[in-house]
Amino acid sequence: MADIKLTINGKECIAPEGSTILKAAELNGIHIPKLCYMEGIHQYGACRVCVVEQILPPAKNLQASCMVQAREGMVIETNTQRVQEGRRAMFELLLSNHDK
């Protein structure tokens, strides 16, 4: 299987074709927080804590990095203000039923 090149947080990264953005980041020493993802067990992107901002090609919404396949030439940011706000909102939603 061929490798692809993408940029995550300004760092040129190489990952096997077919990798998710999350896996590509992990293979290149970049941490993306996650709650529901367990490699080899399940992959359904329910918690949305692993969201990232896809700069190129531009994506309208934040992307769940555990669900989106990394592609050649992608540019990804993992810690922008938009990403931080998205993660904060997801944590608040996850915890909203636990305050009673």
Side-chain angles (χ1 to χ4, degrees), residues 14-84:
I14 298 174
E17 188 174 23
S19 299
T20 62
I21 295 170
L22 178 65
K23 187 65 175 176
E26 288 177 347
L27 290 171
N28 287 276
I30 298 169
H31 174 72
I32 297 174
K34 57 192 178 290
L35 286 178
C36 69
Y37 176 80
M38 296 181 76
E39 186 171 357
I41 307 288
H42 56 75
Q43 179 181 350
Y44 58 93
C47 75
R48 293 292 197 247
V49 171
C50 68
V51 293
V52 295
E53 190 166 0
Q54 183 178 317
I55 307 299
L56 287 176
K60 180 179 177 181
N61 298 315
L62 295 175
Q63 304 294 305
S65 64
C66 70
M67 298 297 295
V68 176
Q69 187 173 346
R71 300 209 187 282
E72 182 74 32
M74 270 184 155
V75 176
I76 302 294
E77 291 292 331
T78 68
N79 201 28
T80 63
Q81 183 174 348
R82 184 176 177 208
V83 169
Q84 290 175 9

